[in-house]
Amino acid sequence: MDRRPPDGDRVMESYRAGVAAIRWFAARCADWDALTPCPEWLAIDLAGHLRCVAENQLEFLQDAPDSRLAKLFAQDIATAVLIRQQSRQNAAELAVLPPESGRERIMSFTVSADAYLDLIPDSWNKTHLIYRGTKYTVGDHAGSASVEWHLHAWDLARAIGEDYRPADPEVLVGAWTWGVPHLPLCREDDPWIRVLRSSGRSQEWSRENPVRARRRR
C-alpha cells in the first residue's frame, strides 16, 4: 500500500464536488422509481441511503474514536463478514426512514454532508478508527466519504440516462487506499474505472442494459 495519503486540499475539494454532483443529478431526476446500478435500490432508495450515510458520517465524526463504525472495524473479522454487517445496517436504516420525496431526502443529505464538511478541518488528524492495527484519521475517512459521494453521483447519473466522471479521479484512488482499507483496488489504468470496478460496479450498466454487478460499496 502506498503510505502517502492524498493531499488534504484535493480531498476536501473532491468531497465538495461529490456533494455538488449528487445535487445536480438529483435535480434532473424526474422518475424516483427508476432503476439504479445498485441492484436492490430504486432512485428513491438511493436518495434515502445518501441521507442515512451522511447522517452517519456526521455521527461517526462526532463520536470518534469510539463510534459505532470504529467498534465495527475493531473486530477481528473477515472482510466478507464486515461487508455483510454494513449492508444489513444500511438496509435497516433505510427501512425506518419516514415517507419522503427523493428531493426531500437529498435535501437532508446535503444538510448533513455540509455539516460534516464544516467539522473536518479541525479534526483532520484525529483518530477515526483502528483497523487491523493501523490507525486511520478523520482525514482518511473524509476521503472515504468523497469516494462514496462520487460513486453514488454516478449511480444517479446512470439512473436518469446520463453519465458522470469526476474531475479528479486520481485523488479517489488514494482516498480509497486510506479510507476503504478493507477493500482492495482493482488493477486498471483508468483511475475512475478502477474505482468503479473496485466498488463492484460495471461501467457497462445503463437503463437499457442493467448489468447485475456485485456491489461492494
Side-chain angles (χ1 to χ4, degrees):
M1 184 175 86
D2 189 341
R3 299 305 304 175
R4 297 169 297 176
D7 177 75
D9 289 340
R10 287 177 68 191
V11 169
M12 294 281 280
E13 181 56 35
S14 181
Y15 182 101
R16 294 187 191 95
V19 173
I22 286 170
R23 294 181 64 186
W24 167 260
F25 290 114
R28 296 167 64 81
C29 183
D31 179 11
W32 287 97
D33 289 325
L35 296 174
T36 76
C38 306
E40 69 274 31
W41 291 338
L42 303 177
I44 186 68
D45 303 314
L46 178 55
H49 172 68
L50 282 163
R51 172 187 167 166
C52 291
V53 171
E55 291 172 352
N56 283 342
Q57 301 286 21
L58 189 56
E59 174 198 330
F60 298 155
L61 172 57
Q62 292 169 328
D63 292 346
D66 300 311
S67 68
R68 291 185 290 122
L69 185 71
K71 292 173 182 176
L72 177 62
F73 273 76
Q75 301 177 76
D76 186 17
I77 55 178
T79 297
V81 176
L82 184 59
I83 293 171
R84 284 199 299 271
Q85 290 187 0
Q86 289 183 298
S87 296
R88 284 197 294 267
Q89 176 182 308
N90 290 338
E93 291 177 343
L94 190 58
V96 298
L97 280 180
E100 299 171 305
S101 68
R103 285 185 170 80
E104 286 173 322
R105 290 180 170 185
I106 295 299
M107 186 179 300
S108 295
F109 154 76
T110 301
V111 170
S112 295
D114 287 349
Y116 178 85
L117 185 63
D118 289 341
L119 295 176
I120 292 174
D122 291 337
S123 306
W124 191 264
N125 294 313
K126 181 179 180 181
T127 299
H128 196 280
L129 56 82
I130 296 174
Y131 177 64
R132 295 185 176 176
T134 299
K135 181 182 79 171
Y136 296 91
T137 67
V138 167
D140 297 329
H141 199 71
S144 171
S146 178
V147 169
E148 182 112 16
W149 302 157
H150 286 288
L151 286 171
H152 288 319
W154 183 85
D155 293 334
L156 276 174
R158 287 300 176 100
I160 65 174
E162 299 187 23
D163 198 10
Y164 173 68
R165 180 183 176 90
D168 186 8
E170 290 83 3
V171 76
L172 297 179
V173 173
W176 182 293
T177 299
W178 281 86
V180 195
H182 59 299
L183 294 178
L185 277 163
C186 297
R187 295 180 180 273
E188 290 285 343
D189 292 334
D190 184 310
W192 179 230
I193 300 303
R194 190 177 185 191
V195 170
L196 281 177
R197 289 196 60 197
S198 297
S199 74
R201 288 164 172 79
S202 169
Q203 66 268 34
E204 303 302 323
W205 195 97
S206 68
R207 292 184 300 182
E208 295 73 28
N209 182 37
V211 179
R212 283 194 65 87
R214 187 175 181 181
R215 193 171 67 88
R216 305 164 72 198
R217 185 172 178 80

